Amino acid sequence: MVKLTPPMGWNSWNTFGADINEALIFETADKMAESGLLACGYDYLVIDDCWSLKERDEQDRLVPDPVKFPHGMKAVADYVHAKGLKFGMYSCAGNLTCAGYPGSFEHEFIDAATFAEWGVDFLKYDYCYHSNIIPGEYLYRRMGLALENCGRDILFSACSWGIDETHTWIKTSSASMWRSTGDIVDTWESVKSLAAQQKALHPYNGVGCFNDMDMLIVGMHGKGNVGFQGCSDIQYRTHFSLWAFLSSPLMIGCDIRDMSPETLSTLTNRDIIAINQDPGCRQPYPLQGIWRDDNLIAYAKNLTGGDIAIGFFNLSADKATARLNLDELGLPHSTHKTLSMKEIWTQKDALIRNAHVAWELEPYDCAVFRAKVVDLA
Ligand code: GLA
């Protein structure tokens, strides 16, 4: 299937790891619908690794763990669908999944048929224990074909962490998103490192196949499977803004049954989500400016209809001033145009003087603008 804007939803891995079950999924589905997350576009609920038994059945089919999922996966899918959500599951291109459960290697078509029968709408496909002889591109094409031929629209989410030159071949499979980097953990260093690694990969992002910077850590505060030391609410807001700005899928990873008001308000900022979901999916471009160091990054992205999204991200523990020259955006003085710039989180306007903007940022904070092209007064 083709997905035209970055997928959004929730995934069990970051917080729950192997500790998943039917009750958790039902409660999470309830909360996605009740909290307003679904209304903001988070419509895929995805169960990650550790959902099956360690052995296939006599027909070689995957078997949901009957202790975790006593009514089977069709019942889970039905519940999720009844809430207006779509249902996602997980498998792997290797013999085993990363956590050691059966993978789909040499079972691609039978597994795709099983997922279709259960009512699955999304498959995350990992890369652990894969063959050293068969290239990754063959393995992802295989499962892509199996899904395209299974009789159901199933979004294919590739997860080979950007290795084996994934960017050069992933679009030859039917993947709608591909993990462009390694696993996130709930630390500020992890956010910074993933953002930096993404820099060279922007040209590969675009409509129909999105660079997946990994699930969000917003609101985890150090709890759960990839918990570690956690981040502050400001850091989570900057992380969320950066992922949204760079057109990554937005897959929530915290326990949404127990979200703080700050977490919910970060995740449901509709103006930030609108930049992520802009139908043009234009490539973000780094602004050159004169930057202090790599900890202050700035991007712009042209939006459908003529607006420009502009983001300043202060990744450092110190205050910083971001600067922008309108020349870089294609608006030199000779055009007799300028920008009207409102910052989304604070609703403050930026002052533009001599085609130049300077914006103060607190430690770890960001500023994201939706700028409109207007006549020079
Ligand atoms: C890999 C993936 C993670 C998660 C785990 C599950 O590490 O990159 O996102 O799916 O496997 O075991």
Side-chain angles (χ1 to χ4, degrees), residues 295-314:
N295 278 328
L296 179 56
I297 54 176
Y299 277 103
K301 175 161 108 169
N302 287 359
L303 302 176
T304 311
D307 289 355
I308 307 173
I310 296 165
F312 299 139
F313 305 91
N314 179 12

Side-chain angles (χ1 to χ4, degrees), residues 17-295:
D19 193 14
I20 47 174
N21 57 57
E22 184 186 88
L24 166 71
I25 301 306
F26 287 2
E27 287 163 23
T28 300
D30 293 349
K31 192 73 187 196
M32 283 176 85
E34 284 159 15
S35 60
L37 288 172
L38 172 60
C40 283
Y42 297 95
D43 56 354
Y44 284 98
L45 186 162
V46 182
I47 299 180
D48 208 282
D49 205 349
C50 311
W51 57 267
S52 77
L53 287 181
K54 295 261 167 114
E55 301 291 337
R56 291 174 175 265
D57 68 10
E58 304 85 66
Q59 281 86 47
D60 233 7
R61 289 160 47 116
L62 293 165
V63 185
D65 182 328
V67 174
K68 293 175 177 173
F69 298 99
H71 302 97
M73 281 302 171
K74 175 86 174 60
V76 178
D78 287 347
Y79 191 95
V80 168
H81 289 151
K83 294 282 162 183
L85 297 157
K86 295 175 193 144
F87 180 49
M89 290 195 68
Y90 164 101
S91 189
C92 185
N95 283 321
L96 297 173
T97 71
C98 296
Y101 294 81
S104 290
F105 180 61
E106 309 269 78
H107 293 82
E108 293 84 0
F109 278 80
I110 186 176
D111 287 356
T114 304
F115 292 133
E117 199 183 301
W118 289 343
V120 169
D121 308 296
F122 177 116
L123 182 70
K124 173 172 169 181
Y125 204 49
D126 222 328
Y127 202 40
C128 285
Y129 300 105
H130 64 88
S131 162
N132 282 329
I133 299 160
I134 305 170
E137 60 192 291
Y138 292 14
L139 298 174
Y140 279 88
R141 260 184 233 135
R142 252 194 229 184
M143 185 46 112
L145 276 176
L147 292 174
E148 289 290 308
N149 286 283
C150 76
R152 191 176 167 86
D153 264 350
I154 300 184
L155 189 153
F156 188 28
S157 164
C159 181
S160 58
W161 324 298
I163 66 171
D164 295 340
E165 306 266 285
T166 311
H167 59 286
T168 62
W169 49 260
I170 194 60
K171 286 179 180 167
T172 67
S173 77
S174 57
S176 295
M177 56 195 266
W178 64 286
R179 272 281 295 285
S180 45
T181 39
D183 285 16
I184 198 166
V185 293
D186 185 16
T187 67
W188 185 242
E189 284 311 312
S190 175
V191 167
K192 276 171 65 171
S193 148
L194 292 177
Q197 290 173 56
Q198 197 59 29
K199 220 167 149 186
L201 297 170
H202 296 311
Y204 302 96
N205 204 350
V207 176
C209 193
F210 298 95
N211 294 16
D212 176 8
M213 294 169 69
D214 206 358
M215 282 91 70
L216 299 164
I217 52 167
V218 178
M220 288 186 64
H221 290 295
K223 285 190 222 132
N225 189 38
V226 304
F228 294 84
Q229 73 250 38
C231 298
S232 68
D233 283 325
I234 295 277
Q235 290 172 329
Y236 286 138
R237 201 169 75 174
T238 297
H239 150 59
F240 179 71
S241 304
L242 200 46
W243 264 231
F245 203 98
L246 299 182
S247 311
S248 174
L250 298 176
M251 303 300 290
I252 299 168
C254 69
D255 183 353
I256 59 167
R257 301 169 308 169
D258 185 27
M259 265 181 300
S260 68
E262 289 79 12
T263 295
L264 183 63
S265 95
T266 294
L267 293 171
T268 55
N269 187 309
R270 285 177 183 266
D271 293 332
I272 297 288
I273 292 171
I275 291 174
N276 180 258
Q277 294 290 305
D278 186 77
C281 305
R282 298 267 179 255
Q283 186 182 321
Y285 55 97
L287 296 169
Q288 303 309 317
I290 304 162
W291 311 115
R292 236 179 21 179
D293 56 45
D294 287 348
N295 278 328

Side-chain angles (χ1 to χ4, degrees), residues 286-358:
L287 296 169
Q288 303 309 317
I290 304 162
W291 311 115
R292 236 179 21 179
D293 56 45
D294 287 348
N295 278 328
L296 179 56
I297 54 176
Y299 277 103
K301 175 161 108 169
N302 287 359
L303 302 176
T304 311
D307 289 355
I308 307 173
I310 296 165
F312 299 139
F313 305 91
N314 179 12
L315 306 183
S316 80
D318 302 315
K319 285 189 179 194
T321 305
R323 296 178 187 282
L324 160 71
N325 292 318
L326 299 199
D327 244 17
E328 276 196 71
L329 307 176
L331 293 173
H333 191 79
S334 59
T335 59
H336 299 291
K337 300 284 178 190
T338 185
L339 290 178
S340 157
M341 288 176 63
K342 189 172 278 304
E343 203 284 315
I344 291 174
W345 293 107
T346 56
Q347 290 293 302
K348 286 189 188 149
D349 290 311
L351 186 66
I352 304 179
R353 267 209 209 111
N354 297 328
H356 179 88
V357 180

